[in-house]
Structures are given as structure tokens and as C-alpha cells.
Amino acid sequence: MKNIFIDHILGSTALGTFVNICLLILCLYPIVGSFFWFSGALNYRFLKKNKYDTDWHNIPKAQQPMITIMIPAHNEEIVIEETITYLFENLNYDNFEVLVTNDGSTDSTADIIKRLMNKYPRLRTINIIKNKGKAHAFNIGMHFAKGEYILSNDADTIPEPDALMKYMNFFMHAQDMNTSAVTANMDVQNRSTLLGKSQTVEFSSIVGVIKRSQTSINDSMYAYSGANTLYKKDFLIDVGGFRQDRATEDISIAWDHQTIGAIPRFAPDIVFHMNVPEKVGDLYKQRRRWAQGGTEVWLTNVKKFLFHPIQRRYQMSMFIDSTLSIIWSFFFVITSVMFIVAMAINLFQGNYERLFHGFVISFIFVTFELIAGCMQLITALLLDHHGAKLKYAFFAPLYMLFYWMINPITVVATFIPAMKTILGFGSGTWVSPKRSSLQNKK
């Protein structure tokens, strides 16, 4: 039916053939993408994996570089004390400080920090009067940080005890001089709900596999993890810090680093534990922010890649995938609306044969997507934590469909706000999501 429509409009011309090829690419993009990430993850595991992932060693106290653990905080009274206490009492590292940038909190966050400063001498704080966003708070804190390395640590995030020691093994050798940052592997703390268990699978099958694949191809990475990434301070200064008007500072800084030739690293064996949204509404808000941040980065860099493709060749695969992802998102939303309208018309006209045919075709396509996604998923769960998360595979198939639907919708919904940001009307002001205690989450 599609080919008849195209031929009617364009005729059997070269343009018609080109449009058909483009439509085929867009239809197959999710399936081909899953196989691409699947093969990239295997390549990372068997050919590319950094030996410091597993062959790390303890650094003597006298040789430990200074690390500043920076916690941007806005109304974090529920979790901030647990996080700070954990950092000081559980980390296997000596030469570090904790710097909390209190970004215009209106709750008791400041009072809690002040009380804890009497208990922990290496705890410092900066009080920012007006909330201007995480990137702004981080940029201010960066100039007060004593460490030559800065760990971005969200208020509701706790790294594993050996995290700092493992992180520093990625910076200690001559071949690591261009390493700008090392981002760790996310693990979900709050697995008490169906949504929490499902996101446990997502961070392994979607986020973890994609980061492995991007690292295995030209040492590129679409985004750091804003919740827990260790940055080399010099490279933060080289790109002028974080972009303060962007929805996602972790995506923009990753692209900025790579455009100056710096190298990001992914360390899957460094684990940090984080809270995830437990309600569909909160999850959608989070994904809107992520989608807007990705589009903002793409709009910022599109001219650089189009006019200087040779100079940007090492990040070209990342740019092409981002471009296809945005185009496919619009394609998915538009064709989904067309499909629903067509099915409604067939139902209204009593054309049940066409109605049945449409559902069969869509079912076949969705089945192929699920097969490709499950291959990606099983590979990820086997690679991640030596298969410890396989028990969550049951929650994967329906969540993958949900992810594939919610992602294009958020891209389309935030495209205009992203354009406004690029035109100078963006704001990094933030509102912390609802928090819950970090204890007894699993």
C-alpha cells in the first residue's frame, strides 16, 4: 500500500526510489540499531574492554590524587544526610573531600549540612541564594574544589566502596593523559515496584549496552552519567565548564569533551546505586528532560559535523545515530497517528479485512523488534555483573515496547523547547524529583 501511494505521488522516478529507501531505513532503524548495539557490546567485551575494569589496584595513601566529591543539592533533606554519611564512612579512599553546592534549597538541607560539618571536617558547602540549576551549581563549585579530579555525585546516589580507587586507575598511566572523564555503571536501588524492576533491565540492556558499543567504536560516548562520573578538572576548564542553559549537562559536556579530542571512558565494573522514578508521570518528566537535552546537543553540533566531517570523523558514528534517532522519532509519531486513523476509518466503514491485515503487519513488525531487543537484552544481562540481573529479564519485553514508544514521543514533544534553548531562551533551573530514603531499597 505504501509503495502504491509513493508511486502515485512521485511516479517511478529516482526520487521515488530514494524515498522508498529512506522509508525502509526508518522502518528498520530500531531493529538494525538493536543488532548494532548487540554486536558493539560483544566487541567491547572480547576486544576492547579496558584492563583496568578488572585489573585495578589499591593506590597507597601518599600517592592518592585529591578528589572532590561534589553534590549539587536542591531540597534534598530526605537523602542528603544518608549520602554524606555513607561517603565518609564507607569509601575505600583517603584523599578526598565532599563539597555540597546548596542550590537555593528552601527546606532543611542547609541545616543538615551545617550539622554534619561538625562531624566531618572534610565536608564543605557553598550556599547559592537563587536556584539556577545543577550545571550552574557545579560550575560554581568547580572553582572552590580542592581536588584535581571532581566526582559528580547526585544527592540520592551512592558509589560502591571501591569506586574512587577504581576510578583513579583510569587516570594513572601515560596512555590515559587524554582521558577527560570516567562514567560508571548504573544500578537501580529502588526495585520494590514494577517500574523500578523494569528500569533495572533498561539500564543494563539499553544504557549499559549502548555505552559499551559507543566506547568500542572510536572511543566515543553519547553521554556521561550525571549521577556519578569522575571528571579531570583540567578538561572541565578546557571546555568552559558545563553549559548552564541546557536540560542535561551530562550529555552536553560529553560532546564538548569529544569535540576537543578528549576521550571518555565507560567503566562497567564501577557500580553506583541510584533512585529511579517509581511513577509513570515522574518517569515521563525525566525522559522529556533527557530527550530535550539530546536534541539540544544535536542542534548545537549539527553545523560542526556537516561542515567539518573529516575533523569530526571520530564522533561521526555518534552524530549519525543521533540524527537517525531524531528523524525516526518524528517518523514513528507521524506514521503511528496515520495508522490509528486508517484503522479507525476501516473500522467505521466495516472493512474488517483491511483492519485485520493492518494488525497482522504491525504485529509482525513488533515481533521482530522484540526479538532484536531481547537479543540485546540477554547479551547485556549476561555481561552486566556476570549475569546477576537475569532474574529481572521477565520484566523486559513489555518495558522495551514502552521505552520505544515513550522515547520518540518525548523527542517530538521537546523539539521546539530544545530549539528555544539553542536560540538563547533556555534555563537550567531544576526541581528535584520526589525522594525516598536510600535504605532497604532492594
Side-chain angles (χ1 to χ4, degrees):
M1 184 176 180
K2 173 178 69 64
N3 292 334
I4 295 174
F5 175 77
I6 294 295
D7 290 341
H8 177 74
I9 298 297
L10 301 172
S12 55
T13 62
L15 180 59
T17 302
F18 174 76
V19 171
N20 272 304
I21 293 173
C22 290
L23 290 174
L24 180 63
I25 292 173
L26 289 173
C27 285
L28 295 177
Y29 171 73
I31 299 174
V32 175
S34 290
F35 280 105
F36 179 80
W37 301 130
F38 163 76
S39 59
L42 291 179
N43 177 65
Y44 175 86
R45 171 61 180 84
F46 295 106
L47 299 177
K48 187 78 175 181
K49 189 173 182 179
N50 198 309
K51 67 178 181 178
Y52 307 130
D53 285 350
T54 54
D55 188 23
W56 62 276
H57 64 276
N58 280 297
I59 304 170
K61 182 177 179 180
Q63 299 176 18
Q64 293 177 3
M66 178 66 174
I67 296 176
T68 295
I69 302 177
M70 193 178 300
I71 307 177
H74 175 68
N75 292 342
E76 303 285 4
E77 63 181 4
I78 295 177
V79 295
I80 192 68
E81 182 168 0
E82 288 180 313
T83 300
I84 292 174
T85 301
Y86 174 89
L87 293 174
F88 279 113
E89 297 186 2
N90 291 274
L91 292 183
N92 174 29
Y93 201 86
D94 297 289
N95 194 18
F96 75 92
E97 64 168 351
V98 175
L99 177 62
V100 182
T101 50
N102 180 27
D103 191 23
S105 294
T106 55
D107 62 359
S108 60
T109 297
D111 295 332
I112 294 172
I113 297 170
K114 185 177 180 180
R115 172 168 54 81
L116 290 175
M117 288 175 68
N118 295 324
K119 183 178 181 181
Y120 301 113
R122 288 179 293 161
L123 173 62
R124 298 191 296 141
T125 186
I126 299 172
N127 289 309
I128 302 171
I129 302 301
K130 184 178 180 181
N131 170 22
K132 291 188 178 181
K134 181 179 178 180
H136 176 262
F138 203 103
N139 284 341
I140 290 179
M142 180 175 66
H143 295 289
F144 290 89
K146 297 178 180 179
E148 54 185 304
Y149 297 89
I150 300 177
L151 178 69
S152 172
N153 195 98
D154 281 359
D156 65 338
T157 300
I158 53 174
E160 64 167 295
D162 289 326
L164 295 187
M165 201 69 73
K166 290 181 178 180
Y167 270 130
M168 286 312 308
N169 275 260
F170 284 84
F171 291 98
M172 298 295 290
H173 307 84
Q175 63 267 32
D176 302 325
M177 61 181 299
N178 286 328
T179 299
S180 54
V182 178
T183 196
N185 199 1
M186 291 177 268
D187 186 41
V188 175
Q189 288 193 108
N190 47 335
R191 303 176 191 172
S192 57
T193 65
L194 176 62
L195 203 55
K197 290 180 173 67
S198 300
Q199 289 176 84
T200 300
V201 174
E202 175 195 358
F203 285 124
S204 290
S205 67
I206 299 173
V207 178
V209 161
I210 289 176
K211 287 187 183 299
R212 285 178 173 89
S213 298
Q214 291 172 340
T215 301
S216 70
I217 301 170
N218 296 329
D219 288 321
S220 62
M221 190 180 296
Y222 180 80
Y224 299 131
S225 169
N228 206 259
T229 294
L230 184 66
Y231 298 92
K232 190 172 183 178
K233 187 175 179 180
D234 288 346
F235 279 107
L236 289 176
I237 296 172
D238 286 345
V239 295
F242 292 90
R243 295 176 184 259
Q244 297 179 180
D245 60 343
R246 301 303 164 88
T248 51
E249 82 294 336
D250 48 353
I251 299 178
S252 62
I253 194 72
W255 284 63
D256 289 343
H257 274 161
Q258 289 166 93
T259 55
I260 65 169
I263 299 174
R265 300 290 186 199
F266 177 52
D269 288 335
I270 303 177
V271 179
F272 66 91
H273 309 280
M274 62 180 290
N275 279 342
V276 296
E278 296 183 287
K279 296 181 180 179
V280 174
D282 293 335
L283 180 65
Y284 179 74
K285 291 178 182 177
Q286 181 195 63
R287 300 312 158 94
R288 274 184 60 95
R289 185 174 64 84
W290 289 5
Q292 181 175 335
T295 303
E296 289 170 355
V297 167
W298 182 81
L299 290 170
T300 300
N301 291 279
V302 61
K303 185 184 294 185
K304 299 176 183 177
F305 281 92
L306 291 178
F307 290 97
H308 306 284
I310 303 299
Q311 183 179 350
R312 310 294 181 191
R313 62 189 181 276
Y314 295 117
Q315 295 82 42
M316 187 58 69
S317 60
M318 185 172 64
F319 172 74
I320 292 173
D321 179 64
S322 298
T323 303
L324 286 174
S325 179
I326 292 173
I327 295 174
W328 179 80
S329 296
F330 280 91
F331 171 78
F332 173 85
V333 171
I334 293 171
T335 54
S336 295
V337 171
M338 292 172 61
F339 176 79
I340 294 171
V341 171
M343 293 297 100
I345 292 174
N346 288 330
L347 180 63
F348 179 76
Q349 294 178 344
N351 195 341
Y352 300 115
E353 183 179 354
R354 282 186 175 272
L355 189 68
F356 176 75
H357 182 263
F359 278 113
V360 169
I361 294 299
S362 62
F363 178 78
I364 293 173
F365 181 73
V366 168
T367 300
F368 275 106
E369 281 195 340
L370 283 176
I371 291 173
C374 284
M375 288 183 63
Q376 174 181 330
L377 166 71
I378 297 301
T379 302
L381 293 179
L382 289 172
L383 293 176
D384 213 21
H385 306 297
H386 307 289
K389 296 181 182 178
L390 276 171
K391 60 183 178 181
Y392 296 107
F394 173 79
F395 304 97
L398 290 178
Y399 187 79
M400 284 191 292
L401 283 180
F402 173 77
Y403 175 86
W404 276 324
M405 287 188 291
I406 200 71
N407 185 56
I409 291 172
T410 54
V411 170
V412 173
T414 59
F415 193 82
I416 291 178
M419 292 186 65
K420 289 181 178 179
T421 297
I422 301 304
L423 295 174
F425 300 99
S427 173
T429 302
W430 59 328
V431 177
S432 292
K434 293 180 180 178
R435 304 297 196 192
S436 57
S437 174
L438 302 176
Q439 305 298 321
N440 302 320
K441 285 297 180 181
K442 296 181 182 179

